[in-house]
Amino acid sequence: MPIPSPFNALALAAALLTSVNAATTSVQTYPFHTVGTSASGASGRLSVRTLSPQQSVSVLALRGLTPNRAYVAHYHALGPGGGEACASQGPITLGFPAFKADARGQATVILRADPARLRGNLGAYVNVHMASDLTDIPLCAAVLKVAAAPSKPAQPPVTAPRLTVKIGDNVFQPVSLSVVAGTTVTWVHAGQVTHNVLSLQVTDLHSPDLRPGDQYSFTFKTPGTYTYYCSYHDGMSATITVTNR
């Protein structure tokens, strides 16, 4: 199949981009910039128009290429390294028809594709390669300027630690407990008679009378060792050691 002349290809591209069926869509244009030194004077633009939910047209209008030289062009997805799209080294997602620059170093290339194949990161940028050496990339057009930052998984809310002390008849269980500052300790009455929780060292640690099933909570904020007791029962005491985080 003969390769159309730049004039005929450009006329066809113009017809596609201004077709009646596409009257309600807009053309997105992205400039090419030089990447290597093999075509320092090369330039051009990528024009993309969505004609329908099933069809889009991408047109490359290039100049300053090596005359009569064969080229290929591809859409690339964003690479895993992030950063500027053309430098992200993403994988090829869609190829343009192979083409050759004319005697003036110009070329117009048309690609029809399902828009779904260009959405998101799939059509992040277009590279123009030398057909004889795909590592030689004279031109690149960035569709997405910068790779999106990877999303961070949502972190669960930080909650203060909580511990429970059981109040039995004439005993606190455990009788010795170590917690970090900021911990809330809850005393749960599991006995049969009235008890309370008091401390001479921490005046705020002062529960009301607790009856079976009642609870009382206190948050320890300052490091230290604290003794607490029940005023109704001799010898019913325990200690809590509070440490730094």
Side-chain angles (χ1 to χ4, degrees):
M1 178 178 179
I3 297 175
S5 69
F7 175 80
N8 291 334
L10 190 58
L12 177 58
L16 285 169
L17 293 178
T18 58
S19 67
V20 174
N21 291 337
T24 59
T25 65
S26 60
V27 178
Q28 303 297 321
T29 302
Y30 308 95
F32 278 96
H33 66 268
T34 56
V35 178
T37 59
S38 60
S40 57
S43 62
R45 70 178 185 271
L46 161 68
S47 299
V48 183
R49 186 165 209 166
T50 301
L51 303 179
S52 72
Q54 292 77 37
Q55 186 179 29
S56 70
V57 175
S58 299
V59 178
L60 307 182
L62 309 172
R63 57 186 178 273
L65 301 175
T66 302
N68 302 313
R69 194 72 179 267
Y71 293 86
V72 293
H74 306 100
Y75 271 104
H76 293 252
L78 288 173
E84 197 275 329
C86 283
S88 67
Q89 298 184 347
I92 293 172
T93 57
L94 195 59
F96 285 78
F99 64 96
K100 181 184 290 187
D102 67 9
R104 294 178 297 173
Q106 299 178 358
T108 300
V109 192
I110 301 168
L111 171 67
R112 299 174 184 84
D114 185 335
R117 299 190 66 181
L118 305 181
R119 291 193 188 111
N121 290 345
L122 296 180
Y125 63 99
V126 172
N127 267 354
V128 176
H129 307 254
M130 301 288 285
S132 59
D133 181 3
L134 295 184
T135 64
D136 191 338
I137 306 170
L139 292 169
C140 180
V143 176
L144 297 181
K145 297 300 181 185
V146 179
S151 59
K152 296 181 180 180
Q155 297 296 322
V158 177
T159 57
R162 303 182 68 91
L163 291 173
T164 299
V165 173
K166 178 181 177 181
I167 302 176
D169 287 333
N170 302 326
V171 65
F172 293 107
Q173 296 176 325
V175 296
S176 179
L177 184 64
S178 179
V179 302
V180 296
T183 298
T184 297
V185 177
T186 299
W187 287 264
V188 179
H189 194 315
Q192 299 298 317
V193 298
T194 299
H195 296 287
N196 57 22
V197 180
L198 308 172
S199 174
L200 295 177
Q201 297 163 287
V202 185
T203 57
D204 291 341
L205 180 54
H206 190 294
S207 79
D209 286 351
L210 303 174
R211 292 173 175 79
D214 288 346
Q215 296 184 7
Y216 170 71
S217 296
F218 182 82
T219 300
F220 290 87
K221 299 178 180 179
T222 306
T225 299
Y226 305 99
T227 299
Y228 63 91
Y229 62 97
C230 171
S231 65
Y232 291 113
H233 301 94
D234 290 340
M236 184 176 173
S237 65
T239 61
I240 290 180
T241 300
V242 181
T243 63
N244 287 316
R245 293 181 181 275

